[in-house]
Amino acid sequence: MERVDTFTRLSKLRELMRSHDIDIYVIPSEDSHASEYIAACDARREFISGFSGSAGCAIVTLDKAALATDGRYFNQASQQLDENWLLLKQGLQDVPTWQDWSAEQSAGNKVVAIDPQLISGSAARKLAEKIEMSGGRGLRALEQNLVDLVWAQGRPERPMNPVMHLPERFTGKDVVAKLTELRRELKNRGSPALVVSMLDEIAWLFNLRGSDIPYNPVFFSYAIITLDSAVLFIDSTKLSAECRAHLDRNGVLVKPYEDIFDAARDLQATYTAESGGSGAERKRPMVSNKGSWALNRALGGEGFVTEIRSPIEDSKAVKNETELGGMRACHIRDGAAVIEYIAWLEAQLVVKKVTLDEVQAAEKLEEFRARREYYVGLSFDTISSSGANAAIIHYKPQRGNCSIIDPAAIYLCDSGGQYLDGTTDVTRTIHFGRPTAAEKTAYTLVLKGNIALDTVIFPKGTTGFALDCLARQFLWREGLDYRHGTGHGVGSFLNVHEGPIGIGTRVQYSEVALAPGNVVSIEPGYYEDGMFGVRIENLVMIKEVATRHTFGDKTYLGFEHLTMVPYCRNLIEPNLLTDFEKQWLNVQHENMFATFKDKFKDDPLTLAWLTRETQPL
């Protein structure tokens, strides 16, 4: 992986820090909307550190620099960070969090500063408390982002891409119905307004989609919803006549994107005046607990605003019947594309002996997807990784700086598509030659974990935190594990990573129960640094299931399988599978063959591959 020399960038940043009387400067990964994936113009942490992973935080002092990231990126960060940086491996014993490290550096009355648009209000308060306890002078909200000043030349422009209206035949619910339900929630909570800052929530609420952030069909915007009004803050040049008409029909007023902070201040002034300034009786607008510190401050700050998990986030995560139908349909089309790709790749590498690198292969997969109905684009950068690169969990091959695919080594491909009727995410690990015993064992243990979680039945109210160990149990028995979550929520033609639900050990996954209509991934893995990696990922939807008994009068839930791509027979060690697991595999493969055999009747290469790979064990 390419390594950037950051000495000059850090030197310039430190000059600016001194001129602003700042001792420690924090540079988060996120943008002003707490987006996980960001537009190129907002990649400040990557610019200053050279680390390109999606998760992490950079902290720069006048004589040190640290980059904190989680286990998905330990390998990548160690390769990309130069000698100017200390890597804080989050989650490992005795390694401080970036917040604790920042606070430790502030000892001796030092000042920590951050762009208030890049941290949530609650996170800013917690960080300020740590700084105070460590003897620091405090946390300063610095409106001018210092990295932007260092990055004055060569920084990409903010995207201004057009917005599209997504018809009700794909959304299953119109804007008026969504606003009505949201206003009912406002009344139930006793709040006069909700200020919305998460981009996928705005796209979902108004049945609009965009392309301001690669792979995520969202657009830069804010919204304020009151009991009798709805305002969308967006650059109006992005809106076509059709979008304008759609918003007008649904009673949505459009205002400039940059007016949000003045509007927030006006909103607070109005509600404070109506309450006569009384704290106890003050009308408090709501804002997401992911909303920025800057937005929180504009609304009056603590005591003037109520921070909550957004009710839009909860509603969006429960797909309606139209969205669920779209998910089923797009996964069949997507599965056909991936099947066609793997069959083609095997023929190129094994039969024709063609030399292909990881980027060329990823581009061919995108070509297969692009032929499918309703295809819009990829849902994330394709992870096309051969051999040792497969051990880099979020590996991104780069043209001119990637590996040739070795047919005698493991090949891991994690990819997904955006379709008008849904979003896909699938990982398959394959081997075209003779895998080692260790590779087959690792693959089969991961597969066993996938099957165990896929087939579980659980009572309503169960969280993904509680289910996570089911996928890890077979690895744990061997003293093995993986450093990433087991599953994430998935949007409906929206972000491939969607809250609030997920399966893993993160605290937030213990706070929200899985519910019928959720779509989530199941993706256990195992990685040997410098050797190989294994991951098997399917998407499933949560549904009610019938059980013989109903202890406690509870509803019981299970998973409906969505992903339609066969598993690699060459990597399965049958002796490690139970009869139940073999039967599960056989049923899955029988269903896949029945689904696709006619679709590939005029494609003998793909049909032959499908027939071979779906034979019963």
Side-chain angles (χ1 to χ4, degrees):
M1 289 188 176
E2 186 177 358
R3 178 173 290 185
V4 176
D5 183 353
T6 62
F7 177 81
T8 301
R9 296 174 185 181
L10 286 169
S11 297
K12 291 180 179 178
L13 177 60
R14 287 173 175 135
E15 289 178 13
L16 291 168
M17 290 167 60
R18 292 186 184 94
S19 67
H20 285 80
D21 191 26
I22 293 168
D23 301 287
I24 300 108
Y25 193 58
V26 178
I27 307 115
S29 296
E30 295 79 11
D31 62 13
S32 303
H33 301 272
S35 304
E36 178 186 9
Y37 297 107
I38 54 177
C41 61
D42 290 319
R44 300 176 177 93
R45 190 227 57 221
E46 178 180 349
F47 170 81
I48 202 65
S49 70
F51 167 63
S52 62
S54 67
C57 184
I59 312 100
V60 178
T61 76
L62 294 176
D63 57 2
K64 301 176 189 174
L67 186 284
T69 191
D70 61 45
R72 295 172 295 169
Y73 293 108
F74 291 169
N75 193 328
Q76 179 178 338
S78 65
Q79 294 185 42
Q80 289 187 316
L81 295 176
D82 67 10
E83 66 278 1
N84 295 296
W85 291 86
L86 166 69
L87 175 59
L88 300 177
K89 295 183 177 181
Q90 303 295 269
L92 295 191
Q93 190 173 0
D94 299 326
V95 176
T97 65
W98 71 262
Q99 295 93 333
D100 288 336
W101 195 86
S102 301
E104 290 169 6
Q105 305 307 307
S106 73
N109 205 34
K110 294 178 181 176
V111 175
V112 182
I114 193 169
D115 181 338
Q117 292 197 49
L118 306 183
I119 187 172
S120 70
S122 59
R125 286 193 298 274
K126 291 176 183 177
L127 179 57
E129 290 171 3
K130 287 180 178 290
I131 293 168
E132 183 179 351
M133 291 176 61
S134 295
R137 205 190 320 171
L139 178 64
R140 183 189 303 177
L142 193 65
E143 303 294 340
Q144 173 63 65
N145 191 289
L146 298 186
V147 175
D148 290 353
L149 297 178
V150 176
W151 199 7
Q153 292 185 340
R155 185 183 174 207
E157 295 292 325
R158 179 165 291 276
M160 295 292 291
N161 299 327
V163 172
M164 64 169 284
H165 166 225
L166 189 64
E168 195 175 332
R169 70 178 185 272
F170 297 117
T171 67
K173 187 179 291 186
D174 63 28
V175 175
V176 169
K178 292 179 178 181
L179 288 173
T180 299
E181 292 174 3
L182 179 56
R183 287 173 176 139
R184 187 181 303 126
E185 185 67 20
L186 291 179
K187 290 179 181 178
N188 290 340
R189 293 175 182 253
S191 178
L194 174 68
V195 181
V196 191
S197 59
M198 299 297 290
L199 301 183
D200 60 335
E201 294 181 14
I202 295 169
W204 178 87
L205 181 64
F206 295 120
N207 288 346
L208 299 172
R209 298 294 189 269
S211 58
D212 283 348
I213 294 180
Y215 314 118
N216 295 268
V218 297
F219 47 92
F220 287 113
S221 55
Y222 292 92
I224 296 179
I225 311 301
T226 71
L227 296 175
D228 55 12
S229 68
V231 182
L232 174 64
F233 295 84
I234 185 173
D235 190 304
S236 61
T237 61
K238 296 181 177 183
L239 299 175
S240 65
E242 180 194 3
C243 287
R244 277 283 197 174
H246 161 70
L247 293 170
D248 288 344
R249 282 195 307 270
N250 290 283
V252 180
L253 182 66
V254 175
K255 290 189 177 181
Y257 174 79
E258 60 272 11
D259 284 4
I260 180 61
F261 293 103
D262 286 340
R265 283 185 279 267
D266 291 344
L267 193 70
Q268 187 53 63
T270 297
Y271 292 142
T272 299
E274 290 179 2
S275 304
S278 170
E281 300 298 326
R282 182 183 294 122
K283 294 181 178 179
R284 298 185 184 185
M286 298 190 301
V287 66
S288 167
N289 51 19
K290 298 177 183 176
S292 73
W293 188 22
L295 191 58
N296 198 292
R297 282 156 54 96
L299 287 164
E302 196 171 7
F304 288 82
V305 64
T306 301
E307 295 178 52
I308 44 94
R309 188 177 74 244
S310 172
I312 301 176
E313 182 180 39
D314 289 349
S315 296
K316 175 169 53 64
V318 177
K319 277 64 178 174
N320 59 47
E321 287 304 317
T322 298
E323 292 171 319
L324 293 176
M327 278 290 198
R328 293 185 185 100
C330 77
H331 274 82
I332 292 174
R333 298 193 303 274
D334 195 74
V338 178
I339 289 169
E340 192 174 358
Y341 165 68
I342 299 175
W344 171 87
L345 185 61
E346 181 180 85
Q348 296 298 306
L349 297 176
V350 178
V351 179
K352 298 182 179 180
K353 309 294 185 183
V354 174
T355 298
L356 291 170
D357 67 30
E358 295 160 331
V359 170
Q360 290 172 315
E363 289 175 342
K364 189 65 178 182
L365 174 54
E366 184 175 5
E367 181 183 316
F368 284 124
R369 277 198 169 99
R371 298 173 186 172
R372 266 62 198 185
E373 185 180 25
Y374 297 147
Y375 178 78
V376 177
L378 298 179
S379 56
F380 56 95
D381 274 316
T382 296
I383 300 171
S384 171
S385 51
S386 178
N389 291 339
I392 303 173
I393 296 171
H394 276 197
Y395 175 73
K396 177 184 175 182
Q398 298 176 332
R399 190 182 306 280
N401 188 30
C402 65
S403 296
I404 299 298
I405 298 177
D406 181 359
I410 267 182
Y411 174 70
L412 187 155
C413 185
D414 186 349
S415 67
Q418 292 285 9
Y419 301 84
L420 293 177
D421 55 349
T423 301
T424 70
D425 184 358
V426 53
T427 306
R428 287 295 180 264
T429 304
I430 51 185
H431 200 301
F432 299 118
R434 294 185 178 181
T436 66
E439 290 170 337
K440 293 182 71 172
T441 297
Y443 182 91
T444 309
L445 293 176
V446 170
L447 178 60
K448 286 169 72 70
N450 199 296
I451 296 171
L453 187 48
D454 184 282
T455 56
V456 69
I457 293 175
F458 52 94
K460 185 178 180 180
T462 301
T463 66
F465 185 91
L467 297 180
D468 177 74
C469 62
L470 294 176
R472 299 179 191 266
Q473 59 180 310
F474 304 102
L475 289 165
W476 284 354
R477 288 177 190 175
E478 302 297 326
L480 306 175
D481 205 351
Y482 50 94
R483 290 192 179 105
H484 58 73
T486 297
H488 55 83
V490 180
S492 178
F493 184 30
L494 272 173
N495 295 358
V496 73
H497 291 169
E498 178 181 79
I501 55 99
I503 303 173
T505 57
R506 294 183 183 181
V507 173
Q508 59 263 41
Y509 292 157
S510 68
E511 297 171 347
V512 184
L514 302 173
N518 290 157
V519 175
V520 66
S521 69
I522 297 177
E523 50 179 308
Y526 177 68
Y527 312 90
E528 285 273 3
D529 285 352
M531 299 293 292
F532 68 90
V534 171
R535 186 163 62 254
I536 302 171
E537 178 184 18
N538 300 316
L539 296 195
V540 294
M541 62 176 63
I542 300 167
K543 63 178 183 178
E544 292 187 11
V545 298
T547 52
R548 182 179 303 176
H549 305 287
T550 55
F551 182 82
D553 293 325
K554 286 188 175 182
T555 299
Y556 282 78
L557 307 176
F559 296 122
E560 176 183 333
H561 203 82
L562 288 173
T563 302
M564 300 286 284
V565 182
Y567 304 89
C568 183
R569 295 177 62 86
N570 198 24
L571 279 166
I572 295 173
E573 178 48 69
N575 293 332
L576 295 178
L577 296 177
T578 65
D579 289 342
F580 174 82
E581 291 163 342
K582 291 177 183 177
Q583 181 184 16
W584 182 91
L585 269 172
N586 290 340
V587 169
Q588 291 290 326
H589 282 159
E590 182 181 2
N591 181 39
M592 292 174 193
F593 182 75
T595 300
F596 294 118
K597 64 179 180 178
D598 290 338
K599 297 181 185 298
F600 293 123
K601 62 184 179 182
D602 298 324
D603 182 354
L605 172 69
T606 305
L607 182 59
W609 182 91
L610 176 69
T611 303
R612 185 192 74 205
E613 292 299 308
T614 57
Q615 288 297 303
L617 287 176

